[in-house]
């Protein structure tokens, strides 16, 4: 196969204890999935889940330095558990949802909060607040065969060593199987899809020179620095 413009490589993430990598197909994100974060964003905590997306090539590898993005004065971190999908799932039940999971990682849903809120207030799409260059730092993937399905555990984010987010993934409003079941009723999930499962309370801004470290107990840790 040849193309009329230069082609590009698949975006991928390393897999722990494996030379082969996880190819990234699409990045789905869940909005407001922890009650305390929904409250800090001024929203009802019992709304049904909703989803937005980031472009696949917004992925940033663990340990990378990323530029401060243009068109924002309020650039926020959101530390999140990431689910890596390993098989097709369409309208899958909550009981079966774990079967389509390949593994888990830790991610950052980097957000131009000022752009997102302006869009929200005008009833416009969030894309330019959420889906911009380097907006999806993600750790290596840990397969289910190694870590199982984490249902509880501390999720923690520090900026320059200072704790900013400290919660437990068991406090998600919609847990992982419920989220997958719901999302798979909207779109067919496919192997390679990532789901960023939402952030707990404590979101805030970062500036040039800041280093973020996010961890989910029983999964792994992700480090990212703003250049
Ligand atoms: Mn988020």
């Amino acid at each position: 196969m040849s193309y009329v413009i230069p082609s590009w490589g698949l975006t991928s993430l390393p897999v722990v204890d494996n030379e082969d990598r996880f190819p990234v197909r699409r990045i789905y994100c869940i909005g407001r999935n922890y009650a305390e974060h929904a409250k800090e964003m001024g929203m009802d905590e019992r709304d049904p889940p909703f989803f937005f997306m980031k472009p696949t090539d917004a992925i940033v590898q663990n340990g990378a330095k990323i530029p401060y993005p243009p068109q924002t004065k309020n650039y926020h971190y959101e530390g999140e558990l990431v689910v890596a999908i390993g098989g097709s799932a369409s309208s899958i039940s909550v009981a079966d949802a774990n079967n389509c999971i390949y593994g888990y990682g830790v991610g950052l849903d980097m957000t131009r909060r000022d752009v997102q809120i302006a869009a929200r207030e005008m009833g416009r799409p969030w894309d330019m607040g959420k889906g911009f260059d380097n907006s999806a730092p993600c750790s290596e993937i840990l397969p289910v065969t190694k870590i199982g399905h984490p249902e509880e555990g501390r999720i923690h984010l520090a900026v320059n060593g200072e704790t900013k987010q400290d919660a437990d993934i068991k406090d998600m409003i919609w847990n992982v199987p419920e989220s997958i079941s719901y999302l798979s009723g909207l779109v067919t999930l496919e192997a390679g899809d990532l789901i960023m499962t939402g952030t707990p309370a404590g979101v805030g801004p970062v500036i040039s020179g800041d280093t973020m470290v996010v961890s989910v107990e029983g999964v792994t840790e992700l480090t990212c620095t703003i250049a």
Side-chain angles (χ1 to χ4, degrees):
M1 176 85 69
S2 58
Y3 300 96
V4 297
I5 56 168
S7 189
W8 50 89
L10 271 180
T11 298
S12 65
L13 290 165
V15 175
V16 165
D17 294 341
N18 200 322
E19 288 172 14
D20 295 335
R21 295 174 66 91
F22 182 88
V24 180
R25 185 180 179 111
R26 296 170 293 192
I27 307 171
Y28 292 99
C29 305
I30 307 174
R32 296 176 212 127
N33 202 18
Y34 290 80
E36 292 304 315
H37 174 61
K39 281 187 218 159
E40 78 181 347
M41 295 300 289
M43 294 296 152
D44 188 320
E45 65 192 75
R46 289 307 308 167
D47 285 342
F50 70 95
F51 304 90
F52 59 92
M53 298 185 73
K54 290 174 183 274
T56 300
D57 53 10
I59 289 282
V60 173
Q61 305 292 318
N62 198 350
K65 218 176 236 194
I66 57 176
Y68 193 94
Q71 303 295 327
T72 185
K73 291 186 170 61
N74 198 17
Y75 179 42
H76 276 208
Y77 56 79
E78 295 189 356
E80 311 201 356
L81 173 69
V82 175
V83 179
I85 301 294
S88 253
S90 178
S91 296
I92 198 168
S93 68
V94 173
D96 291 338
N98 278 351
N99 295 336
C100 72
I101 300 175
Y102 173 78
Y104 296 84
V106 174
L108 277 162
D109 167 14
M110 296 305 296
T111 301
R112 293 193 278 218
R113 190 72 69 201
D114 40 1
V115 175
Q116 180 207 8
I117 288 175
R120 189 179 87 187
E121 285 174 356
M122 288 186 283
R124 290 179 180 170
W126 287 13
D127 299 47
M128 292 300 106
K130 288 288 195 178
F132 51 95
D133 299 347
N134 304 303
S135 60
C138 191
S139 73
E140 62 280 19
I141 301 298
L142 288 94
V144 167
T145 51
K146 187 177 176 71
I147 64 165
H149 294 282
E151 292 173 355
E152 58 179 19
R154 188 185 194 194
I155 179 168
H156 180 268
L157 180 144
V159 178
N160 304 329
E162 186 184 329
T163 294
K164 301 290 188 181
Q165 295 187 286
D166 195 356
D168 196 296
I169 58 169
K170 76 177 185 319
D171 294 331
M172 284 182 194
I173 297 170
W174 303 92
N175 67 25
V176 168
E178 289 169 340
S179 299
I180 288 174
S181 175
Y182 200 99
L183 180 55
S184 77
L186 292 165
V187 292
T188 301
L189 291 171
E190 296 288 359
D193 289 341
L194 296 179
I195 304 172
M196 293 189 142
T197 58
T199 199
V203 300
V206 280
I207 56 172
S208 289
D210 284 348
T211 294
M212 301 164 284
V213 178
V214 200
S215 58
V216 176
E217 189 183 350
V219 184
T220 190
E221 183 176 280
L222 167 73
T223 301
C224 184
T225 298
I226 315 300

